[in-house]
Amino acid sequence: MSSETAFHADALLELGFLAGHHGLESNSDGPFVWCFGQFRLHTPAAKFLNLKFAYLAPTGSMTITRDGGLVDQIELRHGWQEVSLRLPATAGWIDIIVDPVPPVAEDTRELAVMLQTATFFDNEARHSLRRAAVANDILNDQEYRNGEVVLTSHPPNLRVNTETRCNIPETSQACTYCDWDQVKWEEKGSAPFRLETLDELGEFYQSATAVNDCSTGEPTMNRQFGDILLRFHRDGKPFSFTTNGQLLVEKRRRELLGKNVSVYVSLDSASKAGFQRYRNDRFDPIVRNLRALCHEKRSHGNLPRVHVSIIAMRSNMHELAAYFDLVKEIGVDEVKVRSLVISDNPPPAFKNNGFLFDYEAETLSMRELHELTPVIRQLADSRDVRVCMEWEEFERPEIHGEGEPLCAEPWKTLYVLNRGILPCAFGVRPLANRNQQGNRTLDEFLHDVFNSEEYQEIRAELAAGRMPRYCRESLGCPVLKRMAPGERGAEPSDLGQGARPSPLVK
Ligand SMILES: C[S@@+](CC[C@H](N)C(=O)[O-])C[C@H]1O[C@@H](n2cnc3c(N)ncnc32)[C@H](O)[C@@H]1O
Ligand code: SF4
């Protein structure tokens, strides 16, 4: 094999490469197939197989055999995961056995794994790195479920910011809702993100199963953007980032094609005039770049995944139908609807490109967002466009299981940002600043922070079913917002988000 070949569930079925399943289905993440406890896959002559699927038992195993002989075996954990498996030396059918197959409430079918993609590749180093990351992921999940306070594992989700500069505030005023000045003040003096930063992150990078960019800045401005993407690709690390789309020119698009990357392009309006209210007059070039990327990726295994990101605000509600028409025509993979994060000290109403922007008036309450949910779903479904609403994601029941800590973030995710180290997207203050690293390597510094006293206190409280002080300060926290006022120890906020703008999770 040259490099790698990826097949989504629908392609596997079309090509007749999969046997032992319940047929094609799809959800907001795309097409998938539920496979039986024993199913078969036809493999090309490749050394390794990367499978992406969800598994519903707490733990289990996946075994690969050919003609009854063991080829490889790997442990599984609950939830979505990507595992790397060794393949037999020659092309042909393999048997995949999943054990146990958990019973699923209200569905009597044999549901072993919910398979989304199969990727075949030859790179031994990538396989080893993925195996180590998966082993860390299993250990981390056990430590989370047991409510351990001091961890030996590393967080599987690594969040970084690859760029602190941005072309919009460099040429005009920052986007109306962006907390630009405050974040730049907090980032002052921190080192820029370079390709070598990935090595400096040491085990925190090697153990990560996915890397997300949370820049308050424009990632496509990083001079090593292409090299960084290539490194993620070679190391088998799925990557996601948000961009204003203005610099997604041919060179940048070429760097993205065929890579396991999720690109979120910020587009808050269906028209040039509407877009200008929040950003600038570059609506047409962004739409051109988006259209080109959606077209070009078709001949590159449909990668990267292209999402558009819209903040639901009072002033763009009337445009939603036109918005879904536009993105349907462009051919994006998904629309992500976010809510406006309001600062605890929002500026008074101000003008951008002649339009008045009033934070408080623009913000939709939690009740309004819930009323909007079926409207958005209908607009999307009637056009066959996939949509995901940020406020719904945090309400999925699998996020917090019976007897587990109230929230998984301080176990599973780490934000290594220029403005500091945070345990969560909604955290209002860093648990450590970058200038506290001193003579330690970044890896050593992060080890110390990840098991620091305050981190331990956060985990201990969450494991005991209480909201830690740190989380009670984070008024945007969806776990806090779900709790009854008496349980949370902080006054409820009816705003869509609380506190100050935080790094946003894709
Ligand atoms: C901070 S930007 C950085 C990436 C890139 N420069 C961009 O604008 O897409 C990341 C995302 O946060 C969103 N964002 C910025 N301020 C926000 C706020 N106050 N509330 C909600 N989302 C916000 C932007 O619209 C964008 O989609
Ligand atoms: S929202 Fe993004 S594009 Fe706008 S100023 Fe902030 S970082 Fe730049």
Side-chain angles (χ1 to χ4, degrees), residues 177-178 215 217-218 242-244 266 279 309 311 339-341 504:
Y177 38 62
C178 183
S215 299
E218 178 46 42
T242 304
T243 169
N244 60 36
S266 304
R279 298 199 161 208
S309 171
I311 306 176
S339 54
L340 187 65
V341 180
L504 294 147

Side-chain angles (χ1 to χ4, degrees), residues 166 168-169 174-175 178 180 216-217 244 279:
C166 177
I168 295 188
C175 304
C178 183
W180 181 257
T216 295
N244 60 36
R279 298 199 161 208

Side-chain angles (χ1 to χ4, degrees), residues 2 15 20 102 143 155 196 199 223-224 304 320 404 429 443 445 467:
S2 54
L15 295 163
E143 292 187 322
E196 308 84 84
D199 295 318
R223 288 192 186 88
Q224 292 178 310
L320 283 175
E404 288 163 10
R429 78 184 147 80
D443 190 21
F445 172 54
M467 280 309 268

Side-chain angles (χ1 to χ4, degrees), residues 189-482:
S190 60
F193 193 99
R194 307 222 180 282
L195 191 55
E196 308 84 84
T197 312
L198 296 175
D199 295 318
E200 289 159 16
L201 284 160
E203 288 190 84
F204 284 84
Y205 173 66
Q206 286 153 26
S207 303
T209 51
V211 184
N212 299 71
D213 184 276
C214 295
S215 299
T216 295
E218 178 46 42
T220 55
M221 282 184 78
N222 189 307
R223 288 192 186 88
Q224 292 178 310
F225 182 76
D227 298 329
I228 293 169
L229 286 182
L230 196 59
R231 174 79 189 270
F232 289 143
H233 181 67
R234 289 201 178 126
D235 292 346
K237 308 273 184 203
F239 176 60
S240 75
F241 72 101
T242 304
T243 169
N244 60 36
Q246 306 192 0
L247 304 172
L248 275 183
V249 293
E250 199 190 339
K251 175 176 187 301
R252 286 288 178 247
R253 296 200 301 270
R254 229 182 305 118
E255 289 163 343
L256 283 161
L257 292 175
K259 304 220 166 65
N260 189 0
V261 172
S262 295
V263 184
Y264 291 79
V265 179
S266 304
L267 195 67
D268 298 314
S269 174
S271 68
K272 185 171 173 172
F275 186 81
Q276 245 175 324
R277 276 196 300 255
Y278 315 113
R279 298 199 161 208
N280 58 13
D281 62 357
R282 311 271 300 149
F283 177 82
D284 291 336
I286 297 169
V287 170
R288 260 201 310 277
N289 291 343
L290 253 176
R291 222 176 241 128
L293 185 59
C294 290
H295 174 74
E296 289 155 1
K297 83 195 190 95
R298 282 193 219 133
S299 49
H300 290 82
N302 211 27
L303 289 171
R305 287 168 293 279
V306 179
H307 313 246
V308 281
S309 171
I310 173 171
I311 306 176
M313 289 172 281
R314 210 165 301 285
S315 55
N316 63 6
M317 285 304 86
H318 67 284
E319 290 189 80
L320 283 175
Y323 189 85
F324 277 94
D325 283 340
L326 175 70
V327 299
K328 169 75 185 172
E329 183 256 311
I330 295 174
V332 304
D333 292 308
E334 188 194 53
V335 175
K336 172 138 192 173
V337 192
R338 301 178 199 261
S339 54
L340 187 65
V341 180
I342 186 162
S343 156
D344 51 2
N345 189 18
F350 60 95
K351 278 199 168 173
N352 186 23
N353 294 320
F355 294 94
L356 197 68
F357 188 83
D358 180 341
Y359 248 113
E360 301 213 57
E362 287 288 356
T363 307
L364 302 175
S365 70
M366 216 53 223
R367 185 175 37 78
E368 287 175 304
L369 290 174
H370 282 301
E371 283 168 6
L372 199 59
T373 304
V375 178
I376 292 180
R377 180 116 3 246
Q378 199 275 333
L379 288 172
D381 289 351
S382 59
R383 290 161 179 81
D384 201 17
V385 172
R386 271 170 44 207
V387 69
C388 121
M389 285 163 263
E390 175 201 66
W391 55 91
E392 277 202 313
E393 280 195 329
F394 284 97
E395 284 167 9
R396 287 186 191 157
E398 66 264 24
I399 281 185
H400 172 235
E402 199 62 39
E404 288 163 10
L406 286 179
C407 169
E409 285 299 277
W411 280 263
K412 293 181 180 266
T413 311
L414 183 69
Y415 288 79
V416 184
L417 307 181
N418 286 50
R419 69 182 183 92
I421 316 301
L422 292 103
C424 163
F426 299 96
V428 282
R429 78 184 147 80
L431 292 181
N433 291 317
R434 298 298 288 267
N435 59 14
Q436 289 173 285
Q437 184 178 330
N439 293 329
R440 291 170 286 185
T441 63
L442 182 56
D443 190 21
E444 287 165 350
F445 172 54
L446 294 177
H447 269 103
D448 293 344
V449 177
F450 195 51
N451 280 317
S452 62
E453 253 176 50
E454 192 167 8
Y455 236 117
Q456 290 185 41
E457 185 194 315
I458 293 171
R459 292 193 193 110
E461 288 294 290
L462 289 171
R466 294 187 294 263
M467 280 309 268
R469 189 170 36 103
Y470 181 87
C471 306
R472 287 204 310 269
E473 287 166 13
S474 310
L475 298 185
C477 163
V479 180
L480 189 72
K481 286 203 273 181
R482 270 206 306 272

